[in-house]
């Protein structure tokens, strides 16, 4: 296994160095794209388990099915607001298929009418995830509930839905440009080679949209401050706006609004790497064997959404979203049938989803946008002061 890892890492390093020698210095965004998505060596192209206990990181659907059940409750409310005979869900980057399975399980058991209206579409480019989805969701595919799309169907704009575009930890995995404010001007971090090793160098921005992006959000970096610019997120938002005829966009990811994301206290930006549940700040090691991510700029998604007809519904921390949809009541209901020790395990597990400080509850945000609907009241966005539940039941 270790030899295989070295072979993959060295193969990718050799490929990148050969491209630099042939083409000259490359922007970091190209390096990150190859590390994650190279067809042979990329992180998301290998057969290794990436998500869960035996992988490199957790996602919320891996914690407990209740996460998907609560998303299903929100989708049910959206479907009621739309009132159409068919409600389409498009999940992009569905990973191992747990979220889709849990949503459909809840709908089938709790609302047969909603289940009948529901059509679930998945877009997945990682071959091993796609294979796992096909196995895990086989029965639902056989029942005509699950379909797979290719990314090009969004790009050409021919695919149209009325329903919801759903994503969980998608945008943070888009390759990003990295910039630095150096000697009074904006520079882009690029990669060159020296003595057959990768080496950073700072050059003029490779794309004029980089400067436009920062200027449009009034970002003023301090001398020496580094940051990320996610242009692919804007492209993605444009495609979604083009394909959604009427309905909602529900985006779950970790990140901040512009003012907090580009604060001088984040002097080195937000780029993070994950390997076997350990975080690091060095993207130049374990090439193709570690995940590389950056925090999402929710302001950019909101602004771009408005440009393409997706209006702002609300942005809340994940803990507010889940409590608004009844996670505390669901926990209490589940605990009734459990022993004391199993109930404690359940609380500790679900606490990770909603704990504001150390868990996913605060850094993860839920952004909802709507199209061709008057601003809708949604349970996941409601004011928690109106809910007679507190954190006391999970603080034991």
């Amino acid at each position: 296994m270790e030899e295989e890892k070295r072979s993959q890492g060295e193969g990718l390093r050799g490929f990148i160095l050969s491209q630099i020698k042939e083409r000259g210095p490359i922007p970091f965004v190209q390096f990150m794209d190859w590390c994650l998505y190279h067809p042979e060596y990329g992180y998301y192209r290998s057969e290794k388990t990436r998500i869960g206990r035996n992988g490199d990181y957790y996602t919320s659907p891996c914690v407990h099915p209740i996460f998907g059940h609560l998303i299903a409750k929100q989708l049910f409310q959206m479907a009621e607001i739309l009132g159409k005979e068919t409600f389409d869900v498009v999940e992009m980057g569905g990973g191992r298929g747990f979220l889709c399975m849990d949503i459909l399980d809840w709908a089938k058991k709790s609302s047969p009418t909603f289940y009948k209206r529901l059509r679930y579409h998945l877009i997945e480019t990682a071959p091993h995830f796609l294979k796992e989805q096909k196995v895990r969701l086989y029965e639902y595919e056989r029942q005509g509930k699950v379909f797979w799309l290719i990314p090009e169907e969004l790009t050409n704009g021919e695919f149209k839905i009325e329903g919801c575009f759903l994503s969980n930890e998608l945008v943070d995995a888009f390759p990003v440009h990295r910039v630095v404010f150096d000697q009074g001007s904006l520079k882009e971090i690029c990669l060159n080679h020296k003595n057959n090793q990768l080496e950073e160098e700072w050059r003029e921005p490779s794309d004029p949209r980089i400067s436009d992006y920062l200027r449009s959000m009034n970002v003023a970096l301090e001398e020496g401050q580094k940051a990320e610019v996610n242009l692919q997120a804007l492209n993605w938002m444009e495609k979604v706006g083009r394909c959604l005829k009427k309905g909602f966009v529900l985006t779950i990811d970790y990140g901040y609004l512009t003012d907090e994301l580009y604060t001088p206290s984040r002097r080195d930006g937000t780029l993070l790497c994950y390997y076997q549940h350990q975080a690091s700040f060095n993207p130049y090691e374990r090439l193709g064997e570690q995940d590389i991510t950056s925090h999402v700029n929710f302001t950019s998604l909101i602004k771009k959404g408005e440009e393409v007809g997706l209006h702002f519904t609300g942005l809340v921390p994940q803990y507010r979203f889940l409590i608004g949809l009844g996670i505390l009541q669901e926990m209490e209901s589940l605990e009734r049938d459990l022993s004391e020790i199993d109930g404690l395990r359940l609380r500790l597990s679900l606490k990770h989803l909603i704990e504001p400080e150390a868990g996913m509850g605060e850094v993860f945000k839920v952004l909802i946008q709507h199209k061709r609907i008057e601003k809708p009241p949604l349970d996941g966005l409601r004011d928690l002061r109106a809910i007679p539940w507190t954190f006391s039941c999970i603080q034991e």
Side-chain angles (χ1 to χ4, degrees):
M1 180 64 73
E2 289 302 318
E3 289 183 5
E4 182 180 334
K5 290 179 182 177
R6 282 196 296 271
S7 174
Q8 176 163 335
E10 289 308 308
L12 182 55
R13 182 179 297 275
F15 169 80
I16 293 172
L17 287 169
S18 71
Q19 292 298 303
I20 293 173
K21 291 172 183 176
E22 180 181 329
R23 299 161 50 173
I26 59 170
F28 180 87
V29 66
Q30 178 64 80
F31 166 82
M32 183 172 171
D33 183 74
W34 283 331
C35 285
L36 297 181
Y37 303 109
H38 184 278
E40 183 176 357
Y41 303 118
Y43 178 81
Y44 286 111
R45 295 296 184 261
S46 80
E47 294 291 329
K48 180 186 172 186
T49 299
R50 298 303 186 187
I51 303 175
R53 183 185 299 273
N54 298 319
D56 297 316
Y57 56 91
Y58 284 103
T59 60
S60 294
C62 294
V63 175
H64 195 278
I66 199 172
F67 180 81
H69 296 170
L70 294 171
I71 298 293
K73 288 178 67 176
Q74 187 60 93
L75 293 172
F76 168 78
Q77 187 183 25
M78 291 173 173
E80 291 295 291
I81 291 170
L82 277 186
K84 297 290 184 179
E85 183 177 340
T86 300
F87 186 82
D88 285 294
V89 174
V90 179
E91 184 187 358
M92 303 182 65
R96 302 179 65 185
F98 286 120
L99 182 56
C100 173
M101 180 180 69
D102 295 337
I103 287 171
L104 291 170
D105 284 351
W106 181 91
K108 189 173 185 178
K109 178 181 177 182
S110 302
S111 180
T113 302
F114 174 50
Y115 180 74
K116 185 177 180 181
R117 297 170 60 191
L118 190 56
R119 294 191 306 190
Y120 206 106
H121 310 267
L122 288 152
I123 299 177
E124 182 56 66
T125 60
H128 60 293
F129 284 156
L130 182 59
K131 187 185 302 182
E132 190 168 350
Q133 288 174 12
K134 292 275 189 177
V135 173
R136 177 160 287 115
L137 302 170
Y138 171 76
E139 281 301 319
Y140 283 122
E141 181 187 18
R142 192 174 63 82
Q143 294 172 29
K145 288 287 130 185
V146 175
F147 310 86
W148 279 267
L149 302 171
I150 58 175
E152 289 73 21
E153 291 181 81
L154 294 191
T155 304
N156 60 31
E158 294 179 3
F159 180 75
K160 306 281 188 183
I161 70 157
E162 295 191 24
C164 181
F165 273 87
L166 168 66
S167 66
N168 180 60
E169 294 193 59
L170 170 74
V171 182
D172 68 88
F174 289 159
V176 294
H177 296 266
R178 295 187 74 204
V179 298
V180 58
F181 197 69
D182 176 55
Q183 297 182 11
S185 65
L186 188 70
K187 302 290 177 60
E188 183 169 9
I189 297 175
C190 297
L191 290 176
N192 209 335
H193 69 93
K194 184 177 182 180
N195 299 325
N196 220 34
Q197 296 296 319
L198 295 171
E199 184 177 72
E200 284 188 358
E201 64 179 45
W202 302 347
R203 304 171 70 89
E204 293 300 311
S206 62
D207 190 323
R209 293 179 299 165
I210 296 172
S211 299
D212 294 341
Y213 179 100
L214 296 173
R215 192 180 305 113
S216 70
M217 278 167 279
N218 299 314
V219 174
L221 301 178
E222 292 193 346
E223 182 66 27
Q225 184 180 351
K226 297 177 181 177
E228 296 83 34
V229 173
N230 193 336
L231 297 180
Q232 286 199 23
L234 305 185
N235 297 338
W236 166 73
M237 190 103 277
E238 189 170 335
K239 293 174 187 175
V240 170
R242 188 164 57 240
C243 295
L244 182 67
K245 290 166 56 179
K246 183 178 182 180
F248 300 87
V249 183
L250 198 166
T251 306
I252 306 170
D253 223 314
Y254 55 91
Y256 304 97
L257 293 170
T258 293
D259 289 348
E260 191 173 356
L261 183 67
Y262 293 107
T263 178
S265 64
R266 301 188 200 283
R267 187 166 180 80
D268 293 319
T270 67
L271 198 79
L272 280 173
C273 306
Y274 291 95
Y275 179 74
Q276 296 181 356
H277 300 286
Q278 297 296 314
S280 81
F281 302 98
N282 185 359
Y284 306 121
E285 61 183 4
R286 304 190 187 98
L287 301 191
E289 279 298 319
Q290 64 177 359
D291 194 16
I292 308 175
T293 75
S294 70
H295 283 48
V296 174
N297 180 359
F298 282 102
T299 301
S300 72
L301 299 185
I302 294 167
K303 286 172 65 71
K304 187 63 178 181
E306 292 289 344
E307 292 176 15
V308 297
L310 302 173
H311 303 298
F312 178 70
T313 318
L315 174 70
V316 294
Q318 180 172 288
Y319 80 88
R320 273 191 56 185
F321 179 73
L322 296 178
I323 291 175
L325 288 164
I327 189 172
L328 300 183
Q329 295 93 321
E330 294 287 341
M331 287 169 60
E332 187 177 76
S333 177
L334 289 171
E335 282 188 78
R336 293 193 191 108
D337 300 322
L338 299 176
S339 66
E340 184 176 349
I341 186 67
D342 286 339
L344 177 60
R345 289 194 184 108
L346 175 69
R347 287 197 300 276
L348 290 174
S349 176
L350 296 185
K351 187 177 181 180
H352 191 60
L353 291 175
I354 57 177
E355 190 173 35
E357 298 297 330
M360 296 174 167
E362 182 69 54
V363 68
F364 277 77
K365 308 291 193 306
V366 180
L367 170 64
I368 301 181
Q369 296 154 292
H370 60 273
K371 184 174 184 179
R372 293 179 59 202
I373 306 169
E374 291 299 318
K375 187 169 182 178
L378 297 174
D379 287 346
L381 301 178
R382 60 181 167 157
D383 189 343
L384 296 191
R385 290 173 296 183
I387 304 174
W389 289 78
T390 71
F391 286 106
S392 59
C393 67
I394 60 168
Q395 289 177 336
E396 301 173 13

